[in-house]
Amino acid sequence: MTAAAPPAEAVEASAESAPRSGLRPWLSRHPLAAYALRRFGLYLIELWGALTVAFFFFRMIPGDPIQTLIQTLQQNYVYNQQASAEVIARYQHEFGLDGNIFTQYLKYMNNLILHGDLGPSLINYPTPAQNVILHSLPWTIGLLGISAVLAWGLGIIVGAVAGWRRGKAGSAIITNLSIALSHVPFFFVALILVYVFAYSLGMLPARSAYDSNISPGFSPAFIGSVLKYGLLPGLSIVVIGAFGWILSTRMLMVPVLGEDYLTYAEAKGLKPWRILTRYALRNCYLPQVTAFGISLGFIFNGNVLVEQLFNYPGLGTTLVTAIQQLDFNTILGVTDMAIFSVLTAVLLLDLLLPLLDPRVKYWK
């Protein structure tokens, strides 16, 4: 006697209950990993697109950097000599300017991705452009990075207190002052600080990054000189940056104060400072964290006007010098670093926000 065949519904149920293998089923069981892979893939596409646009944009700038280099060499080393076609061809090959623009693009991306090589720098030939950038990078990070962190922290604290004590005289003064000064350019404040503290009072130096009489190194004298010379440019960035963060934090704080959970916290008898820090501020700082991460990415551009005003040897000064001499390799190096830093900051924030706030759904 033959056994009866199982019904179709049982076969389908057993097939669905059987474990499935492959990447897609695994990702369906791990939504956080699926979210991270999607964001990383989008990050790579955005990075490639931005680097490509930057390359073709700067290649369309009129001018011949090779002629600029040859004229510099003739003035300093080779007097009254006409550069031959072989010399020009050699320099074009060395700077990646030989062939059509698409050949140059493929060569540039190959050297950048596989070797991390930007080519020689025109402003400091034959030093590689990445070495010139790395020499200026610590000054920009030290000046703008620390200044951005201080401005953000000060703005969050003062803005939260100003929003919490809305209606008070001190809060009104801070708010009106922030509205008036948050859009003032950094260089304007820098000029005022230089006039007051450098020329009128003579308390602080007005230009350079350290005392030229002190040898660079990790000595107390050199570190003290760097801090002294960086105080005015850093202060000009902190003052204006802090007012912007104060204003935005207060605007986020005020609507939160009418929520029911704050009323419940007050009814429980919690202290006002605890309600402010643990409840009110916690629910409005996420937009500020996002904005701060993006602003940290932009510090690699350097604050050009501030660095020019104080003759500070950061990326802003390097970028201006490279643009003046059509140093494509250095220009693209600074631009690519800014693109990479901004997109990486956005990627890290996208990955961290679901962990910081459960209201952010990573599987959507």
Side-chain angles (χ1 to χ4, degrees):
M1 184 175 180
T2 58
E9 293 81 0
V11 175
E12 293 177 358
S14 61
E16 291 178 358
S17 60
R20 293 176 296 173
S21 61
L23 180 60
R24 181 169 296 182
W26 184 86
L27 292 177
S28 64
R29 296 191 302 269
H30 299 83
L32 181 58
Y35 170 79
L37 287 177
R38 287 197 306 268
R39 283 297 301 121
F40 186 72
L42 183 61
Y43 162 79
L44 293 179
I45 295 174
E46 292 172 346
L47 182 61
W48 169 78
L51 294 179
T52 301
V53 171
F55 175 86
F56 285 102
F57 174 80
F58 287 112
R59 279 296 194 271
M60 290 187 295
I61 296 178
D64 189 355
I66 302 303
Q67 291 298 328
T68 303
L69 174 63
I70 291 176
Q71 291 175 4
T72 303
L73 294 176
Q74 287 179 341
Q75 292 175 0
N76 297 324
Y77 305 105
V78 187
Y79 295 95
N80 299 323
Q81 292 186 12
Q82 187 69 27
S84 62
E86 292 79 7
V87 174
I88 296 177
R90 183 175 67 85
Y91 281 127
Q92 286 179 340
H93 176 75
E94 188 174 356
F95 280 90
L97 298 174
D98 54 335
N100 58 50
I101 191 170
F102 295 103
T103 303
Q104 297 175 21
Y105 169 73
L106 293 176
K107 180 180 178 181
Y108 175 80
M109 295 299 290
N110 177 73
N111 292 334
L112 178 64
I113 296 174
L114 298 182
H115 307 288
D117 183 19
L118 296 171
S121 171
L122 184 64
I123 60 178
N124 198 8
Y125 181 80
T127 305
Q130 60 266 22
N131 293 354
V132 175
I133 295 173
L134 291 176
H135 178 75
S136 304
L137 184 60
W139 296 105
T140 294
I141 294 178
L143 173 64
L144 300 180
I146 296 176
S147 300
V149 173
L150 292 177
W152 184 80
L154 182 62
I156 293 295
I157 295 173
V158 177
V161 175
W164 179 259
R165 298 179 60 85
R166 67 193 187 285
K168 304 294 184 180
S171 176
I173 294 175
I174 293 175
T175 302
N176 293 327
L177 194 62
S178 300
I179 294 174
L181 297 179
S182 59
H183 299 291
V184 175
F186 293 121
F187 67 88
F188 183 75
V189 177
L191 289 173
I192 296 176
L193 293 176
V194 167
Y195 176 77
V196 174
F197 292 99
Y199 294 110
S200 297
L201 301 179
M203 297 173 56
L204 296 171
R207 296 177 65 83
S208 190
Y210 58 91
D211 191 347
S212 58
N213 296 322
I214 300 177
S215 300
F218 290 99
S219 62
F222 178 74
I223 295 175
S225 177
V226 170
L227 294 176
K228 182 179 180 180
Y229 277 75
L231 187 58
L232 283 184
L235 188 61
S236 65
I237 297 173
V238 169
V239 169
I240 299 302
F243 280 121
W245 292 116
I246 289 172
L247 188 61
S248 59
T249 304
R250 185 190 180 279
M251 292 175 62
L252 292 170
M253 175 67 67
V254 171
V256 174
L257 299 181
E259 298 292 337
D260 294 337
Y261 62 87
L262 292 185
T263 304
Y264 178 71
E266 293 177 359
K268 288 175 60 178
L270 296 179
K271 295 181 179 180
W273 183 252
R274 181 176 177 84
I275 297 175
L276 169 62
T277 56
R278 297 296 298 274
Y279 295 91
L281 182 58
R282 186 178 181 182
N283 285 275
C284 69
Y285 81 95
L286 280 179
Q288 301 298 76
V289 172
T290 304
F292 177 66
I294 296 175
S295 67
L296 281 182
F298 281 107
I299 70 171
F300 292 100
N301 292 321
N303 196 303
V304 177
L305 292 177
V306 172
E307 290 186 0
Q308 287 288 296
L309 177 63
F310 290 97
N311 195 25
Y312 210 79
L315 287 180
T317 302
T318 302
L319 181 61
V320 171
T321 305
I323 292 175
Q324 291 173 347
Q325 299 190 23
L326 293 178
D327 186 356
F328 289 148
N329 293 338
T330 304
I331 295 173
L332 278 173
V334 176
T335 305
D336 292 349
M337 183 173 294
I339 291 171
F340 173 79
S341 59
V342 172
L343 292 180
T344 303
V346 173
L347 173 66
L348 294 177
L349 287 171
D350 285 344
L351 297 178
L352 290 177
L353 283 181
L355 303 177
L356 296 176
D357 189 352
R359 295 173 298 179
V360 181
K361 305 298 184 181
Y362 51 75
W363 55 81
K364 291 184 178 180

